[in-house]
Amino acid sequence: MEDAVRMLQHTDFTICAWDGERLIGFGRVLTDFVYRATIWDVIVDRAYQGRGIGTEIVTRILHHPQLERVELFWLCTRRPGFYERLGFSSKEQTGMVWNRSKNSRLE
Ligand SMILES: CC(C)(COP(=O)(O)OP(=O)(O)OC[C@H]1O[C@@H](n2cnc3c(N)ncnc32)[C@H](O)[C@@H]1OP(=O)(O)O)[C@@H](O)C(=O)NCCC(=O)NCCS
């Protein structure tokens, strides 16, 4: 919980979907608000999936007035099909990852 609170405090932009008081969808963005933004943790409650909520979360991020100047949005996903429908491409950029737990023996 402490880590989640710290993460949210230092996140530039969050979007939530609610059913009454129940949180059913979430997405967040780290960005400089001009050149680059990364989208993280897009997730919809299993019971609410397949109703367009995930699409709405990503669409609202891409077109939100606070983010409308951002030139490039990045994300990492194991589900490229969902994002390809929304116009994302994996052909233009090559992502690389440095994972602290996997590299700890090098430190
Ligand atoms: C991926 C996820 C966010 C999609 O949310 P959702 O609310 O179910 O998505 P939508 O209802 O907006 O789906 C829109 C369309 O994408 C399709 N879709 C959903 N997941 C897909 C996938 N993995 N690959 C291809 N298409 C997918 C749906 O079939 C639907 O198509 P349709 O409009 O032709 O029927 C949701 O399934 C989820 O939370 N998954 C677990 C967490 C996760 O994997 N997040 C990915 C971020 S890294």
Side-chain angles (χ1 to χ4, degrees):
M1 183 58 82
E2 197 181 308
D3 286 351
V5 169
R6 186 174 160 90
M7 173 272 283
L8 287 170
Q9 282 172 342
H10 296 280
T11 289
D12 298 303
F13 184 91
T14 57
I15 187 158
C16 300
W18 299 90
D19 182 4
E21 294 188 353
R22 180 173 176 176
L23 179 64
I24 57 161
F26 179 80
R28 68 187 183 102
V29 176
L30 302 180
T31 183
D32 56 24
F33 293 96
V34 179
Y35 297 111
R36 301 289 183 263
T38 52
I39 299 175
W40 300 97
D41 303 331
V42 175
I43 186 158
V44 174
D45 185 321
R46 194 179 297 270
Y48 291 80
Q49 289 178 9
R51 302 186 197 181
I53 296 167
T55 299
E56 189 69 25
I57 288 170
V58 178
T59 303
R60 287 196 188 197
I61 287 171
L62 297 175
H63 300 292
H64 194 278
Q66 276 182 272
L67 301 172
E68 67 185 359
R69 288 185 62 193
V70 173
E71 184 186 26
L72 281 178
F73 286 85
W74 259 281
L75 56 80
C76 301
T77 184
R78 292 197 178 89
R79 292 172 173 77
F82 172 70
Y83 291 102
E84 281 164 1
R85 294 173 57 262
L86 294 166
F88 285 80
S89 164
S90 53
K91 296 189 184 118
E92 291 168 35
Q93 306 281 341
T94 304
M96 295 186 78
V97 168
W98 188 90
N99 184 325
R100 184 173 302 283
S101 60
K102 287 186 181 154
N103 284 279
S104 56
R105 63 191 168 79
L106 301 176
E107 288 180 4

